[in-house]
Amino acid sequence: MSRAARLSLAAAAAAVVALALAMIAGGSAFPRIIPGLPDAGVVVRWGLPLSKLLMDTAGLVTVGLLLMAAMLLPNDKGVLGAGALSYVKAASWAALTWAGGAFLAIVFGAADSIGRTVPQILDRTILTSYATQTTQGVALTLVVLFGVAIALFSRGAITAGAAAGLLVFAMVTLLPAPLTGHTSSSPNHDLATSSVSLHLLSIALWVGGLGVLAVHAVLRRPQLEVAAARFSRMALWCYAAVGLSGVFSLVARLGALSDLWTSEYGVLAVVKIVAFVLLGYVGYWHRQRTLADLEGRKPRAFTRLAGGELLLMAATVGVAVALSRTPPPAFSVPADRAYELLGFPMPPAFSIGNMLTLWWFDLFFAAVAGVLALLYLLGLIRLRRRGDHWPVGRTVSWFVGVAILVFCTQSGLARYAKVMFDVHMVEHMTLSMVVPIFLVLGGPVTLALRALKPAARRGDRGPREWVVTILHSRFTKVITHPVVATAIFVASTYALYFTPLFESAMNEHLGHIAMTLHFLLSGCLFFWVIIGVDPGPNRLPHVGRLLMLFVTMPFHAFFGIALMMMGSPVAQGWYEQLGRTWGDTLLQTQRDGGAIAWGFGEIPTLMVLLAIAVQWYRDDDRQAKRADRRADRTGAGDPELDSYNDYLAKLNRADKGE
C-alpha cells in the first residue's frame, strides 16, 4: 500500500473514531428509548452521522483538489499543467462520492425522521417526500445534484479559470445542508447563519487544502515548496476566520457561559476549541520551521508535520459532525413571533434617536465592510512603503462609502428596515445609489493593480494576474456593457418588488443577505460603467455617460409612482405576522416608501453629474497637456490648429490686398 493511501486511511480512521467518541460523550450514541415511541434502530442511529461524515469529508476533498489545481500549483498562462489536471480529474471522483454520501444521508434521514428502519422506508413515495418537502431533504438533494454537476464539468476543465469556477461552485454546495440544522432553529438565526457559513467556507479551504497538500508531499510531486508557501499565506487568513466565526456561532447557540461545561453540546464545543488551538500551534510551527526546510530541499519534516496536522483536522471534522447531531442547550426566549422571525424583539416606535442608538450586529456585512477597509488599507500601505503616490480624494471616497455601508447594515436603520417598508426603501436606495458612488470613485481595481506584485514565475497567475484576467474576461465584458448594466440595475428592482421574491427574501436570512448584496453590487456595476476611474472593457465617452444616467433615473421615479398607486401592500404576509402595533398602516408606509424612491434619485444624480463634470474637465486637460508634450517633442503643433491658423493668415493677406 502506498504512503498516500496509508495517510488517507489514517485520516479516515481518525475521523470515525472521533465521531464515535463524540457521539458517546454527547449522548446521541445510546439515547434513551421510550417504549411505545417509534425508533429507527441502531443502523440508522449510526448510519446517518457516518453518511454525513462521508459527505462532509468528500466535500472537503473536492474543495482541496480544486484549490490545489486552480490556486496553489503554478500554471502556464492560465492552462493547467499535468499535475493540476490530475487533481481536477480526481475532484470529479471526489464530487461523485460527495453526491453518494448525500444520497445515503437522504435515505438514513428519511428513516430517522419517521422512526423506521431502512428497509421500511425504501419506498419511492417516502424518499421523494423527504427529499422534496422537508428542509433538510431539499438541502441534501441540492448537494446530490450539485455534486454530480461538479463531477461532470470537472472532466473537461483544462484552464485555471474553469477550475476556479468549479471551486466556487463546490464551496456554494457546502452550505445548504448545515444551514438547515441547528442553525435555522437558533434564536439568533441571523448570527448563526452568517457565522456557520463563514466557518464552513474557511474550514473547507483550510482542511481540504492541507489534505491534498499532504498527499502531494507524500507522493513527492514537484513544486511542493511553491504550493506550500501559497497555502501557508491562505491558511493564516482561514485560521482567523474559523476562530472568529466559531466564537459567534457559539454565542448564537449558548444561553450562558456555564453551558460550556454543563451541557453535552458545550463539552463537545470545548473539545473542538482545544483541537482548534492545537491546529493553530501546528500551523505556526509550519511557518517557522518546515517551510524553511522545504526551501532547503528537506521535505520530510514538512511531510511528517502535515500528516499529523491532517489527522488532527480529520478528528476535528468527526467531532463537528457529532456536534451537529447533539442538540444545543435550551434557553428561554420571549414568546414573540417577531423575535422568532427577526432574531430580536420588535423595536420601539421609530424615531431618529432610536435609529441612531439601536445598533444591530450583522456578521456578514460587518465582515464585508471589514475586508473592504482592510484590503484597501493594505494596498495604501504597500504603495506608501514603495514611495508611490495615491490621490487622497480616492481614499476619502472609499472609506466614506465603507462607513455608510456600516451604518446601513449595522445601525438601527437595519432593524427598522425589516419591519417598516419606507425605512427599507431608504436602506435600499442608499445601498444601491449612494454607497456605490463613493466605492467606485475610490478606484479599488487601479489600487490593486498598482499594489500587487506580478507573479514570481513568468506565465503563472498570482493575485495581480487574476485581477487582470477577471477584468478582461468575457463575463466582465458582458455585464459591464451599458445596456446589460442598466438592465440589471433597473429591471431587478421591478422584478423584486412586483413579484413574490421580496417576501421570500424577507422570510429567510440568506435571502435577505442575497437581496441586500444585490442592491450593493448592482449599484456598483452601474456606477462603475458611468463614473468608474478603473480600467474597464467598455468605456463610454462622457456624453454617453450623461445619456445613460438621464435614461436610467426616470425608471426609479416610475417605480416609486407605481408603489404609491398600488392598492395592496407588498409582502403583506411578512409584515402582518410581525405584529407591529405602532406607526402608520402597511399601505401608508408603502406609499411613503414609493415617495422616497421617487425623490431619492435627485441626490445621487447630482453627485454623478458633478463627478462626470470633473472627470470630463480633467480628461480634456490631460489631452491638452499630452498634445503640448507631443508638440514639444516633435517640434510640430496640432495639424488642425496649424491649418486653421494658415487659413486665418490667408484671409488677413486678402484683406490687405496682398
Side-chain angles (χ1 to χ4, degrees), residues 319-603:
V319 173
V321 173
L323 195 63
S324 68
R325 295 286 297 161
T326 306
F331 57 93
S332 60
V333 296
D336 182 14
R337 180 60 175 163
Y339 190 94
E340 294 176 5
L341 295 170
L342 301 172
F344 53 83
M346 174 64 68
F350 178 81
S351 67
I352 299 300
N354 288 336
M355 185 185 69
L356 295 176
T357 56
L358 293 177
W359 283 65
W360 174 251
F361 181 69
D362 187 310
L363 176 60
F364 180 84
F365 285 102
V368 169
V371 169
L372 292 178
L374 179 61
L375 292 179
Y376 201 91
L377 184 61
L378 291 176
L380 292 176
I381 292 174
R382 178 167 289 185
L383 287 185
R384 184 176 182 84
R385 287 178 176 175
R386 209 165 57 200
D388 291 345
H389 172 72
W390 183 255
V392 177
R394 293 186 182 182
T395 303
V396 173
S397 178
W398 179 265
F399 284 103
V400 167
V402 172
I404 299 175
L405 173 63
V406 170
F407 180 79
C408 286
T409 57
Q410 312 293 319
S411 70
L413 181 68
R415 286 204 192 209
Y416 285 103
K418 292 186 176 183
V419 300
M420 299 180 68
F421 186 83
D422 49 357
V423 180
H424 164 81
M425 193 54 61
V426 172
E427 182 188 45
H428 172 181
M429 291 297 165
T430 305
L431 287 173
S432 63
M433 301 177 69
V434 176
V435 174
I437 293 176
F438 287 103
L439 293 182
V440 299
L441 290 177
V445 177
T446 303
L447 177 62
L449 293 175
R450 291 184 57 184
L452 294 172
K453 298 178 180 178
R457 295 169 176 260
R458 185 176 180 85
D460 192 13
R461 280 187 182 175
R464 190 179 190 279
E465 286 72 22
W466 275 109
V467 172
V468 174
T469 300
I470 294 173
L471 193 64
H472 296 288
S473 66
R474 184 178 303 175
F475 175 76
T476 303
K477 290 180 181 179
V478 171
I479 66 169
T480 58
H481 190 280
V483 175
V484 177
T486 302
I488 293 174
F489 186 62
V490 175
S492 60
T493 301
Y494 286 84
L496 176 67
Y497 290 101
F498 297 140
T499 66
L501 281 176
F502 177 62
E503 185 167 359
S504 300
M506 295 297 286
N507 273 290
E508 297 291 339
H509 180 58
L510 286 179
H512 187 267
I513 287 179
M515 177 180 64
T516 308
L517 195 61
H518 173 75
F519 294 156
L520 183 64
L521 294 179
S522 62
C524 287
L525 175 63
F526 177 75
F527 289 109
W528 190 57
V529 175
I530 294 182
I531 58 172
V533 296
D534 294 319
N538 297 301
R539 307 305 297 175
L540 286 173
H542 293 94
V543 175
R545 300 180 187 186
L546 289 173
L547 180 62
M548 183 176 173
L549 176 67
F550 288 132
V551 167
T552 303
M553 286 306 161
F555 285 99
H556 279 277
F558 298 152
F559 165 71
I561 294 173
L563 283 177
M564 289 188 287
M565 294 179 64
M566 289 181 66
S568 60
V570 175
Q572 183 174 354
W574 163 259
Y575 289 111
E576 285 182 344
Q577 63 184 333
L578 293 177
R580 177 171 58 86
T581 58
W582 45 262
D584 294 327
T585 63
L586 297 182
L587 201 54
Q588 184 58 46
T589 59
Q590 181 171 305
R591 289 169 180 165
D592 293 340
I596 291 169
W598 175 60
F600 196 93
E602 296 181 1
I603 300 173

Side-chain angles (χ1 to χ4, degrees), residues 11 77 86 98 118 125 152 156 177 187 268 285 295 308 345 374 389 412 436 503 533 538 560 566 568 597 606 623 639:
K77 297 180 180 179
S86 67
W98 192 2
V118 172
T125 303
L152 293 177
L268 291 181
W285 191 268
E295 294 179 357
L374 179 61
H389 172 72
E503 185 167 359
V533 296
N538 297 301
M566 289 181 66
S568 60
L606 178 60
Q623 291 183 13

Side-chain angles (χ1 to χ4, degrees), residues 36 51 71 94 155 226 259 347 593 651:
S51 62
M71 302 294 179
R155 305 302 298 178
V226 177
D259 289 335
L651 290 178

